[in-house]
């Protein structure tokens, strides 16, 4: 039977492993960058769970973790879409073990994240969607934004 | 003669006025939302300039402000694109008075923002681009991301 629970600081290694698996599956990152990210992510998420800025959920079957996701509270300037708000919700680290896909677990985890935004009075919740993810998020009401970024790996 | 200077807390009202003008020109927001955003943004940016998370630039001609922009330091989890980093740069509040457009002021302000990321050792710098902005940012190396968001204005 599947049960969902909130993460604690003790889950930091598991969350990092799922984050690593997610990016590895997307196939766009080098193994060394993934390994370095993973080892730096463990203390980061441990700290952020402690402060309450990061909240995660783990779906377990007989205590085996089979899916997880996270919510992170970003500082954000008051914006016309949320003119009294100073935060955005950010959903991340969606992972479902391959043999558990197609059962709606990811959708359930998105709903957990949106409920977390609602509890915090946050009106705008963002995420970065893989191609597979987009097919899940669009029917739930997510829309593509006009975000752009520049990567400058020569920074100190 | 045009001179660029950094913002101080005393510029909060001016920065908010430029932010208001920017969103008003995009034409997607209601006037009441823009007014509410503006009045909440003033103390927000004042505080963020104080902490150093927000840095802004103002271009002046004979002490008249004619253009401005800002940089905000977002907390971000270690990511394959910046595996030892815990921040992203975010560029915002680009405004050039209409009669000063077409002279490269916006491009100069983007360069200020990217230099700020570099000084802070930040590898990824994001922004949200208006249609007009995209034509500026693309040749500078910015690429569209896969960000999506959901807006839930029924949150408390």
């Amino acid at each position: 039977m599947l049960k969902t629970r909130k993460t604690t600081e003790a889950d930091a290694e598991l969350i990092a492993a799922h984050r690593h698996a997610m990016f590895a599956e997307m196939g766009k990152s080098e193994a060394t960058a993934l390994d370095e990210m993973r080892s730096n992510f463990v203390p980061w998420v441990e700290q952020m769970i402690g402060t309450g800025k990061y909240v995660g959920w783990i779906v377990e079957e007989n205590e085996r973790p089979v899916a997880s996701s996270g919510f992170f509270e970003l500082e954000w300037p008051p914006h016309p879409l949320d003119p009294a708000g100073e935060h955005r919700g950010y959903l991340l680290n969606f992972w479902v073990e391959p043999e558990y896909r197609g059962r709606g677990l990811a959708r359930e985890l998105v709903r957990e994240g949106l409920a977390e935004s609602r509890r915090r009075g946050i009106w705008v919740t963002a995420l970065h969607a893989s191609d597979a993810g987009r097919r899940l998020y669009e029917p739930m009401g997510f829309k593509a934004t006009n975000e752009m970024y520049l990567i400058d790996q020569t920074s100190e």
Side-chain angles (χ1 to χ4, degrees), chain A:
Chain A
M1 195 192 132
L2 296 171
K3 287 200 327 192
T4 301
R5 65 170 178 84
K6 278 204 183 174
T7 51
T8 71
E9 282 127 304
D11 297 306
E13 293 277 0
L14 173 67
I15 301 168
H18 281 184
R19 181 171 173 83
H20 183 281
M22 176 188 74
F23 281 118
E25 187 170 82
M26 289 182 210
K28 291 180 186 164
S29 310
E30 290 188 18
T32 51
L34 290 179
D35 289 343
E36 191 185 353
M37 178 278 291
R38 180 177 176 162
S39 65
N40 289 318
F41 184 79
V42 173
W44 184 90
V45 77
E46 203 168 16
Q47 186 201 334
M48 291 300 173
I49 290 172
T51 64
K53 288 186 196 174
Y54 188 101
V55 182
W57 298 271
I58 297 176
V59 183
E60 292 176 332
E61 184 171 61
N62 305 323
E63 294 177 31
R64 179 196 164 198
V66 301
S68 71
S69 72
F71 165 98
F72 183 55
E73 186 179 89
L74 290 172
E75 286 185 308
W76 207 264
H79 184 282
L81 291 173
D82 186 3
E86 300 190 352
H87 295 95
R88 275 192 180 179
Y90 184 68
L91 307 186
L92 69 170
N93 294 343
F94 282 84
W95 177 254
V96 180
E97 293 292 350
E99 64 272 33
Y100 287 83
R101 295 181 187 176
R103 303 191 193 183
L105 295 186
R107 182 173 298 106
E108 204 45 56
L109 289 168
V110 176
R111 287 205 187 103
E112 294 281 7
L114 293 173
E116 186 65 31
S117 282
R118 208 168 299 119
R119 275 191 289 276
R120 293 176 189 231
I122 291 175
W123 289 10
V124 181
T125 306
L127 52 77
H128 288 97
S130 67
D131 294 341
R134 190 171 302 115
R135 292 191 291 275
L136 165 66
Y137 305 129
E138 268 174 358
M140 299 186 76
F142 284 85
K143 297 199 185 315
T145 76
N146 53 8
E147 190 191 45
M148 305 182 82
Y149 63 26
L150 184 143
I151 301 160
D152 176 9
Q153 297 179 331
T154 65
S155 289
E156 276 306 293

